[in-house]
C-alpha cells in the first residue's frame, strides 16, 4: 500500500468520525478538494513517460545501429563517444572524466530518436525519454522538480533492471535549454535549465549507475551556451538529411517486410526522393502499401510508390475541382515547367500532375541522377528558367498571366539572389552584408529578365510540344517523366522526317 493510500484512508476515517460527532464537514471537504486540485496541477501529472517500473521494463531498447539507415558519420561518431561508457573501467584508470552529454542536431525526422535508442541498446543501458516541452510550466520550481525526478527515475530504473547505466533522451531540448533570461516567465525556465545543469554536473564516474544525457534539437543556435560548454554536452553529432546511398539504405530497411513487385527499383526510388528525411521515406513505404491494399493488389508496384511519393510531398488529393478553364490553365502552366525542365536538364522530370492536392493545384516532380552539393551558374539559370516557364507558357498560349506563378517567382528570385551572393552576377564578388538593397534588387531583376527572354523564345520554338503535353495532361491528369520524354522524342523525329 502506498503512502498516498494510507493518507487517503486516514483522512476519510477522520472525516467520518467528525461527521458522526455532528461537525459540518462540508467546508473541510471543499478545502481538501481545492488543495488536491492545486497539488495535481503542480506536482501530480507525471510528464515523463517512464515513471513506473512497469514502463521501465519497456525502456529496454531493441533498436540497434543496424536498424538505422544511412547516417554512417553520425553512427560512427556516436559509437566512438559511447566507448566512454562501454569501457568505463579503463577510462577510470586513465583518470578520464565521464562523458555526460551528447547533442544530436539536425532536421526533423532524420533519426535522432532512433540513434539515442540505439545508443542505449549499444551500451546495454535503460532508456528514458522526455520532450523539452514537458518541463515547461507556469509555476516556478515545477520544471526543475521534473528534471530532478527524471534523473532519479533513470537511476532507479537501471537499478531495478540490474543495469549499470541509463540513457536519458531529451527531445526538443531547445525548449528547456534555450538561452537564459530571454523567455516569458523566465524565472521558471531558468530554474529548470539550472537544474539540468546541476544534474549533469552531478554525474560522476564514481557513481554506481552511469547516466548519459542525449539531447536532440534542430535549433542548436537557441541553446544556452552553458549547456554547450565542455563537461556538459561534450559531443555534438550532426544528423543530416540522408544522401542517395542513405535513402537507399532506409528504403531497404522499411521495405524489408513488404512484398515488392518486380518493377520496383530502390535505386530509382532513392533518386526520386531527393531531400526526403528518414521519416518521410518511412511514410512513402507505408503509403505505397496502403495504396496497394486499396487497389486490392497483393504486391506493391512502382506506381503505388509514385502515388505515395506524391502524397508525402504534396499532401492528400483534394475533391476540390477547378473549373474547366482553370484546369486548362493549370495544364498549360505545368506543361511549361515540364517542357523547359526536360529541355534544359534532360531526364529531370519524374512526373507532371494536374490533380489538386493540399499544397498545389498542379505540380511537376523532378528527380536528379546524383545528389548535388555545389551548383554552377548554368545550372542555377536552368532552375530559374524552369520556374518562370509556367507563367510564360500561360501568357503565350492564353494571352495573359495568372496568380499561379507567385510561388515560382519567389523561388526564381531566391536563386537569383544566390547567384548575386556567390559573386556570379554582373556585380562580381560582393559583400552580402553590405550591398545596398536597390543594387541587389536591380542585379536580381537583370538576371531574371535575361532568363525570361531566353525561356520565352524556347517556349515559342516548342509551342506545338507544349500544347500536346497540355492536352495529354488534361486527358490523363498525371503523366510520368518517361511518357513526357516519349512525346518529345516523337515530336522531334516527326520534325526531322
Ligand atoms: P524529430 O526531430 O522530429 O523528433 P527525429 O530526428 O528524432 O525527429 P525519429 O523520431 O528518430 O526522428 O524518426 C522518426 C521515424 O522515421 C522513425 O521511427 C523511423 O521510422 C524513420 N526514420 C527516420 N530516420 C531514419 C533512418 N535513418 N533509418 C531508418 N528509419 C528512419
Amino acid at each position: 500500500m502506498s503512502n498516498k493510500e494510507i493518507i487517503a484512508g486516514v483522512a476519510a476515517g477522520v472525516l467520518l468520525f467528525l461527521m458522526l460527532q455532528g461537525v459540518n464537514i462540508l467546508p473541510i471537504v471543499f478545502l481538501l478538494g481545492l488543495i488536491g486540485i492545486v497539488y495535481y496541477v503542480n506536482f501530480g501529472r507525471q510528464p515523463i513517460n517512464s515513471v513506473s517500473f512497469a514502463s521501465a521494463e519497456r525502456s529496454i531498447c531493441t533498436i540497434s545501429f543496424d536498424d538505422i539507415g544511412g547516417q554512417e558519420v553520425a553512427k560512427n561518431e556516436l559509437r566512438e563517444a559511447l566507448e566512454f561508457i562501454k569501457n568505463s573501467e579503463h577510462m577510470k584508470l586513465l583518470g578520464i572524466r565521464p562523458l555526460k552529454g551528447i547533442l544530436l542536431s539536425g532536421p526533423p525526422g532524420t533519426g535522432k530518436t532512433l540513434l539515442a535508442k540505439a545508443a542505449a541498446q549499444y551500451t546495454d543501458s535503460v532508456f528514458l525519454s522526455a520532450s523539452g516541452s514537458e518541463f515547461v510550466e507556469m509555476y516556478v520550481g515545477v520544471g526543475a522538480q521534473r528534471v530532478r525526478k527524471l534523473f532519479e527515475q533513470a537511476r532507479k530504473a537501471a537499478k531495478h533492471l540490474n543495469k549499470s547505466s541509463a540513457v536519458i533522451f531529451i527531445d526538443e531540448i531547445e525548449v528547456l535549454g534555450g538561452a537564459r533570461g530571454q523567455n516569458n516567465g523566465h524565472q521558471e525556465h531558468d530554474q529548470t535549465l539550472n537544474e539540468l545543469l546541476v544534474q549533469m554536473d552531478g554525474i560522476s564516474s564514481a557513481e554506481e549507475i552511469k547516466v548519459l544525457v542525449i539531447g536532440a534539437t534542430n535549433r542548436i543556435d537557441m541553446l544556452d551556451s552553458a549547456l554547450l560548454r565542455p563537461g556538459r554536452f561534450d559531443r555534438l553529432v550532426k544528423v543530416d538529411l540522408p544522401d542517395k546511398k542513405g535513402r537507399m539504405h532506409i528504403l531497404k530497411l522499411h521495405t524489408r517486410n513488404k512484398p515488392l513487385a518486380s518493377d520496383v527499383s530502390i535505386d530509382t526510388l532513392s533518386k526520386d526522393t531527393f531531400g526526403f528525411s528518414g521519416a518521410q521515406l518511412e511514410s512513402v513505404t507505408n503509403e505505397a502499401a496502403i495504396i496497394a491494399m486499396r487497389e486490392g493488389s497483393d504486391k506493391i508496384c512502382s506506381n503505388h510508390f509514385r502515388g505515395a511519393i506524391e502524397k508525402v510531398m504534396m499532401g492528400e488529393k483534394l475533391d476540390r475541382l477547378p473549373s474547366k478553364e482553370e484546369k486548362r490553365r493549370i495544364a498549360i502552366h505545368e506543361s511549361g515547367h515540364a517542357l523547359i525542365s526536360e529541355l534544359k536538364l534532360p531526364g529531370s522530370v519524374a512526373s507532371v500532375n494536374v490533380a489538386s492536392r493540399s499544397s498545389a493545384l498542379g505540380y511537376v516532380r523532378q528527380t536528379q541522377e546524383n545528389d548535388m552539393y555545389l551548383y554552377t551558374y548554368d545550372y542555377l539559370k536552368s532552375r530559374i528558367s524552369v520556374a518562370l516557364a509556367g507563367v510564360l507558357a500561360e501568357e503565350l498560349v492564353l494571352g495573359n498571366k495568372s496568380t499561379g506563378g507567385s510561388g515560382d517567382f519567389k523561388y526564381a528570385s531566391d536563386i537569383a539572389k544566390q547567384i548575386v551572393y556567390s559573386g556570379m552576377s554582373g556585380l562580381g564578388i560582393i559583400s552580402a552584408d553590405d550591398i545596398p538593397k536597390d543594387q541587389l534588387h536591380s542585379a536580381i531583376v537583370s538576371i531574371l529578365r535575361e532568363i525570361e527572354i531566353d525561356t520565352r523564345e524556347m517556349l515559342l520554338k516548342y509551342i506545338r510540344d507544349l500544347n500536346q503535353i497540355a492536352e495529354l495532361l488534361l486527358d490523363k491528369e498525371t503523366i510520368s517523366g518517361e511518357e513526357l520524354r516519349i512525346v518529345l522524342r516523337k515530336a522531334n523525329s516527326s520534325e526531322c522526317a
Side-chain angles (χ1 to χ4, degrees), residues 17 76 207 217 353 372 386 426 428 489:
F17 174 74
N76 285 340
E207 271 191 306
T217 182
N353 309 269
M372 290 174 80
V386 175
R489 273 199 295 270

Side-chain angles (χ1 to χ4, degrees), residues 34 44 66 73 138 155 169 173 181 262 272 277 290 371 379:
L34 213 63
D66 292 338
V73 177
M138 242 160 54
R155 291 186 175 102
F169 175 61
I173 198 167
S262 55
D272 286 357
S277 67
I290 293 173
D371 292 354
Y379 179 79

Side-chain angles (χ1 to χ4, degrees), residues 67-69 71 107-114 171 218 250 253-254 278-279 282:
D67 299 315
I68 303 173
Q71 306 300 359
T110 42
K112 297 184 288 298
T113 310
L114 290 183
D171 204 359
N218 39 41
I250 297 172
L253 283 174
H254 289 291
E282 189 276 335

Side-chain angles (χ1 to χ4, degrees), residues 430-445:
I430 49 121
S431 156
D433 291 334
D434 304 318
I435 182 170
K437 260 191 159 176
D438 54 344
Q439 224 175 325
L440 175 67
H441 180 250
S442 41
I444 291 174
V445 169

Side-chain angles (χ1 to χ4, degrees), residues 304-336:
H304 300 140
F305 275 103
R306 217 180 300 144
I309 292 174
E310 259 135 40
K311 184 169 171 205
V312 172
M313 254 174 108
M314 310 302 296
E316 191 63 84
K317 263 192 190 173
L318 298 181
D319 291 337
R320 178 180 71 192
L321 279 183
S323 67
K324 216 173 153 199
E325 290 76 40
E326 272 180 337
K327 191 128 190 174
R328 175 143 191 268
R329 185 178 284 277
I330 298 165
I332 289 164
H333 183 108
E334 299 309 329
S335 302

